Amino acid sequence: MSTTIDYYELLECERTADDATIKSRYRKLAMQYHPDRNAGCKDSEAKFKAISEAYDCLKDPQKRAAYDRYGHAAFQQGGGGGGGAQDFGGFSDIFESVFGEFMGGGRGGGRQSARRGADLRYDMEISLEEAFHGKDTEITVDVSAACDTCHGTGAKPGTSARTCQHCNGHGKVRAQQGFFVVERACPVCQGAGQVIADPCADCHGDGRIEKTKTLSVNVPPGVDEGTRIRLSGEGEAGARGAPPGDLYIFLHVKRHALFEREGTTLFARAPISFTTAALGGSLSIPGLDGRTHEIKIPAGIQSGKQLRQRGAGMPVLQGRGQGDLVVQIEVETPTKLSTRQRELLELFRETETGEECPESQGFFTKLKNVFAGE
């Protein structure tokens, strides 16, 4: 591979992007960096090759699945010697590493590839304000990390692993079962192809020990419930020097006292008096951006009406601009009236003509027509 930059980052899309989005981003970038449009520019040529390589991988469902699981190691050639890790030679190697024992097959000799460490999940709860502004924080996780004493080899310092005599370093053994020859992982070396005669005293030959790690996490502005942050290489260490897995941080946004969220839009319910609804007025809403937003209430507004404040919503994740703030009006009927207030309302009712509330007038007209048989 010509690049180690994350393929999704190269195509400027999320890891959850669908095929159509990936194709659209590739076309846009290919047009921008095509050598014919940037004659003589080596940087553009390199960029074009990199995005073409990324698209070639992500457009193929099998290659994309392998990349999501193993990263660039899924397509790197070669492998390590001694007790170190081996890289996968391609998707077929990954398939073999997962299903080879079950299928009873394998590609000739050679010991099994070192198994990559497991991915880990960490659930983080943040407030809506933190989702709006973003935050830098630290988390503490307990993981299996490479042993400092043997540097992940599993062998005592000054010694090294030796070729397994049971499988001659192949990592696999064959057994005759009737007409069939079944190939399985070597029971002595567990498929590694090597055995450790003098194991490390600290990790007992596994190459890993339990550690508590403190990691820095950047939560970007605009994250939402379920947003996933990937910390590459911060998962479980692989056995005997195999590559580590990744740590995935899943974000959970706490329920807010005032706002509800849908994408980049913030929703708030605002109760107002029936006099304000009739005469009009204004409403002050404190925004997550630290500003106070004045919402103009037109005279005669009805309950359930939504008023929109542009640009007062959530920021766009890894993008520009902000969503909107939508305030839903709820007209509140008074439950306690003074004598004077009651008198005024009685006076108002005496002067009503029906034109003040056209919807009510229309409703009662329909009822009258129904009972009259019209």
Side-chain angles (χ1 to χ4, degrees):
M1 287 295 176
S2 61
T3 180
T4 56
I5 302 177
D6 184 80
Y7 285 159
Y8 293 97
E9 182 179 341
L10 278 170
L11 296 180
E12 300 177 3
C13 62
E14 299 293 327
R15 299 184 71 84
T16 55
D18 56 21
D19 293 340
T21 300
I22 291 175
K23 185 175 183 180
S24 175
R25 296 293 173 85
Y26 168 70
R27 285 181 172 179
K28 177 182 177 182
L29 293 170
M31 288 287 291
Q32 180 180 350
Y33 293 105
H34 197 282
D36 290 345
R37 303 185 65 180
N38 302 272
C41 180
K42 297 296 184 181
D43 291 340
S44 295
E45 182 179 350
K47 182 74 172 182
F48 180 77
K49 289 181 179 179
I51 61 177
S52 297
E53 175 184 302
Y55 179 65
D56 181 66
C57 170
L58 299 184
K59 71 178 181 181
D60 185 298
Q62 290 185 326
K63 289 183 179 180
R64 183 177 180 181
Y67 180 76
D68 288 343
R69 181 71 176 90
Y70 297 98
H72 291 285
F75 310 104
Q76 291 172 351
Q77 300 293 329
Q86 284 191 337
D87 294 329
F88 291 104
F91 184 77
S92 58
D93 282 345
I94 297 171
F95 187 89
E96 181 183 341
S97 73
V98 177
F99 299 106
E101 182 177 342
F102 174 76
M103 299 297 292
R107 295 186 305 158
R111 64 188 179 93
Q112 291 184 342
S113 299
R115 184 170 297 177
R116 177 178 178 271
D119 293 334
L120 297 179
R121 170 174 178 150
Y122 184 97
D123 292 277
M124 178 188 295
E125 189 176 58
I126 62 174
S127 67
L128 187 59
E129 287 82 1
E130 290 171 333
F132 182 93
H133 295 286
K135 64 179 295 189
D136 290 317
T137 186
E138 291 184 341
I139 61 173
T140 301
V141 293
D142 295 324
V143 297
S144 293
C147 175
D148 293 329
T149 303
C150 66
H151 304 291
T153 65
K156 181 179 179 180
T159 66
S160 61
R162 296 182 298 185
T163 301
C164 176
Q165 299 300 312
H166 188 73
C167 64
N168 294 321
H170 294 293
K172 301 176 183 178
V173 293
R174 295 182 177 183
Q176 185 80 30
Q177 292 185 358
F179 293 102
F180 300 97
V181 176
V182 179
E183 189 175 67
R184 293 191 176 94
C186 174
V188 176
C189 65
Q190 305 301 318
Q194 295 179 327
V195 292
I196 299 175
D198 198 358
C200 171
D202 291 338
C203 66
H204 307 290
D206 187 52
R208 300 175 293 185
I209 58 174
E210 293 296 321
K211 284 185 178 181
T212 298
K213 297 169 63 176
T214 300
L215 305 173
S216 297
V217 180
N218 172 253
V219 179
V223 295
D224 202 349
E225 176 71 26
T227 296
R228 185 180 70 174
I229 298 175
R230 177 191 180 198
L231 299 185
S232 181
E234 297 295 352
E236 296 278 3
R240 299 182 183 178
D246 299 329
L247 174 63
Y248 291 92
I249 300 173
F250 287 78
L251 300 178
H252 304 281
V253 183
K254 299 178 186 176
R255 188 180 184 88
H256 196 269
L258 176 61
F259 297 114
E260 294 181 8
R261 177 183 181 181
E262 185 176 317
T264 58
T265 303
L266 291 175
F267 292 89
R269 289 180 174 85
I272 63 172
S273 67
F274 78 107
T275 53
T276 301
L279 302 176
S282 63
L283 186 66
S284 296
I285 300 290
L288 295 178
D289 54 7
R291 297 182 298 162
T292 299
H293 299 277
E294 293 291 331
I295 309 297
K296 299 298 182 182
I297 301 176
I301 194 170
Q302 301 297 308
S303 189
K305 176 68 175 179
Q306 292 185 339
L307 304 176
R308 184 178 296 268
Q309 185 81 356
R310 300 288 183 183
M314 294 294 293
V316 178
L317 179 62
Q318 296 181 346
R320 296 180 179 179
Q322 290 183 208
D324 301 333
L325 169 63
V326 175
V327 178
Q328 180 167 309
I329 298 299
E330 305 290 345
V331 180
E332 185 177 14
T333 302
T335 56
K336 294 182 179 180
L337 294 173
S338 67
T339 302
R340 177 58 177 164
Q341 288 172 330
R342 184 175 293 276
E343 290 175 352
L344 292 173
L345 286 177
E346 290 289 353
L347 179 60
F348 175 77
R349 183 161 59 180
E350 292 174 2
T351 60
E352 282 185 307
T353 64
E355 296 180 357
E356 298 87 356
C357 301
E359 290 190 15
S360 298
Q361 186 69 19
F363 173 75
F364 287 111
T365 299
K366 290 179 182 179
L367 285 180
K368 181 180 178 180
N369 293 339
V370 169
F371 286 106
E374 298 180 5

